[in-house]
Amino acid sequence: MELERLYKESTHHVLRQRCQIILLKASHRKTSNICAIVGIKSENQVNKWVKRYKNEHASLGIQCLRNLEGQGRKSIFDSETESELIQRIVKAERQKLENAKIILEKN
């Protein structure tokens, strides 16, 4: 089964977690029990993924458990442009990184 394979092999933690949620729900576990096993505090979040899987699996397949475009945490830094700036500031303030943090926050 593809859910079991992704649960065991995926390098993405959230995808493994979502597969585990669906597998546990398929074995008739209670939502509160699933929360304890998976390590999620919100029963609503577990129910949301179960509902999304039921509603969208027929059309999207296992892709319905992946983040949609635009979901997830946005990048804090523009990797290319700001990486040089960060390296330069940290190098200049290597004795006291708190100063580097303050300078970066101002920029």
Side-chain angles (χ1 to χ4, degrees), residues 21 31 34-35 40 42-50:
I21 288 169
T31 303
I34 294 172
C35 288
I40 295 177
S42 170
E43 290 185 21
N44 287 336
Q45 186 177 3
V46 169
N47 291 331
K48 179 188 87 166
W49 283 109
V50 170

Side-chain angles (χ1 to χ4, degrees), residues 4 25 72 92:
E4 292 171 342
K25 199 62 171 176

Side-chain angles (χ1 to χ4, degrees):
M1 182 179 212
E2 190 175 9
L3 275 172
E4 292 171 342
R5 185 186 62 77
L6 278 175
Y7 171 63
K8 293 177 183 176
E9 298 176 6
S10 178
T11 58
H12 300 283
H13 171 71
V14 293
L15 182 58
R16 285 192 322 268
Q17 193 176 51
R18 292 168 188 166
C19 289
Q20 186 179 23
I21 288 169
I22 302 305
L23 290 167
L24 290 169
K25 199 62 171 176
S27 65
H28 307 290
R29 299 274 186 133
K30 291 184 177 184
T31 303
S32 58
N33 193 348
I34 294 172
C35 288
I37 293 169
V38 178
I40 295 177
K41 295 178 182 177
S42 170
E43 290 185 21
N44 287 336
Q45 186 177 3
V46 169
N47 291 331
K48 179 188 87 166
W49 283 109
V50 170
K51 182 178 179 182
R52 182 167 166 178
Y53 183 80
K54 285 179 181 178
N55 292 338
E56 298 179 12
H57 182 260
S59 60
L60 297 175
I62 203 72
Q63 298 300 321
C64 68
L65 296 178
R66 296 184 186 275
N67 283 345
L68 299 174
E69 189 66 35
Q71 282 185 322
R73 183 175 178 183
K74 307 300 181 251
S75 178
I76 296 172
F77 296 107
D78 173 25
S79 57
E80 277 185 41
T81 311
E82 295 180 349
S83 135
E84 294 172 11
L85 173 66
I86 294 167
Q87 289 176 358
R88 190 169 23 97
I89 292 172
V90 168
K91 189 175 183 178
E93 298 291 336
R94 66 180 174 266
Q95 295 296 319
K96 194 166 184 184
L97 290 177
E98 187 62 33
N99 289 349
K101 180 183 173 195
I102 292 169
I103 292 168
L104 287 168
E105 286 174 348
K106 287 180 183 177
N107 288 337

